[in-house]
Amino acid sequence: MSRPDRIAVHLASPALFVGASADGTGADTDVVTDDHGLPYLPRHRLSARLRAGAASASAVAPHLFRAADDLLGRDGSHGPDRMLRVGHAVLGVEVRAAVARALAGRAEPVRTTLRRAVTDAFTALESGVEIGSGGAPEPGRLRTHRVLLPGLTLTAALTWAAPPEEEHWRILARACLATTQIGSKGSRGRGRVDVRLVGPGPEDPHATTLRLAAPPARVNTPHPGTVPDPSAPQAPPAPWTRTGSAARGREAR
């Protein structure tokens, strides 16, 4: 069975990936986009959330701590010690190709107008009152935020510096399952996500992730001194043979 080659991030609620857009959208808090105006999740933010998910998963499975360090590096590390490199989480290939064709050869200001239209197609503008240090709304401080629309799925490619072992796949799958929020304003329900591993085959990503996250199969071996279970299936008896004095008497004759 083929191994996953990318991570899928499905947005279950509006997400706020703060950054600079290609042309600016006029919001107080903008969303990060590429040169074509398409929003994406930067790889360092995805890696950081996966690292937090791996730490959470390792808390209940301490034997996976070493695999987590091998996979994503130690806390705060982005150096060469990591086995796994995660790419930017971007929209599908078909969408990116269609936008690139639409923008090809366009001169300004048409190009800028089209880029802003692309960003508007995948985002929405939310407004809210700024909250002060005391937890109360600040009068006259209305702020706007550019958020990604729920229902979008972004995918990030996986690049390995060394062949992963089973424990590396196990902690990566558990890190994906433990990552349920990415982006700003998570306390207000923003950025709820489902993160799953995706392979080149037809297997469902959720099933793939659960399969890789499962512990290894246990082999039941009886403990020395264990009393056999009488209800367990018994081996068939050996074929009957003459033994003892009857057999010896027959040999004498």
Side-chain angles (χ1 to χ4, degrees):
M1 187 174 294
S2 57
R3 293 297 195 181
D5 57 1
R6 58 196 186 280
I7 288 177
V9 181
H10 178 75
L11 306 185
S13 72
L16 186 58
F17 301 154
V18 179
S21 62
D23 299 291
T25 62
D28 294 305
T29 306
D30 212 346
V31 66
V32 59
T33 70
D34 62 14
D35 292 339
H36 291 160
L38 290 167
Y40 70 96
L41 174 61
R43 57 192 174 194
H44 67 276
R45 297 185 192 176
L46 178 56
S47 294
R49 297 308 302 159
L50 289 173
R51 186 66 184 84
S56 176
S58 301
V60 295
H63 63 284
L64 294 176
F65 268 124
R66 182 181 294 276
D69 284 344
D70 292 342
L71 192 72
L72 295 163
R74 294 175 177 81
D75 250 350
S77 170
H78 297 282
D81 61 316
R82 296 187 301 174
M83 287 179 59
L84 177 63
R85 297 288 174 175
V86 181
H88 296 313
V90 298
L91 291 164
V93 176
E94 296 84 0
V95 172
R96 288 183 283 120
V99 171
R101 285 195 300 269
L103 292 175
R106 301 284 186 172
E108 297 294 350
V110 175
R111 186 178 180 86
T112 297
T113 302
L114 287 176
R115 274 199 304 251
R116 287 178 177 171
V118 168
T119 303
D120 289 344
F122 295 99
T123 63
L125 200 60
E126 292 186 345
S127 60
V129 178
E130 183 178 355
I131 304 299
S133 58
E138 293 285 347
R141 297 298 297 273
L142 183 67
R143 295 183 62 83
T144 56
H145 310 285
R146 179 70 62 175
V147 298
L148 272 73
L149 296 173
L152 295 176
T153 298
L154 312 175
T155 57
L158 303 178
T159 303
W160 297 93
E165 299 179 1
E166 290 302 319
E167 285 198 343
H168 298 124
W169 283 114
R170 189 166 297 120
I171 191 60
L172 177 58
R174 295 185 183 187
C176 290
L177 294 171
T179 303
T180 57
Q181 194 279 328
I182 301 178
S184 302
K185 299 190 180 297
S187 61
R188 299 187 184 182
R190 295 294 175 261
R192 289 189 293 110
V193 295
D194 294 316
V195 182
R196 298 293 184 266
L197 291 168
V198 184
E203 187 179 18
D204 177 69
H206 183 66
T208 299
T209 308
L210 290 179
R211 174 174 56 81
L212 293 173
R218 297 180 61 182
V219 178
N220 294 323
T221 55
H223 190 275
T226 301
V227 177
D229 183 2
S231 64
Q234 303 296 319
W240 180 82
T241 57
R242 292 176 180 269
T243 58
S245 58
R248 288 194 296 272
R250 187 182 61 159
E251 291 171 357
R253 290 196 297 273

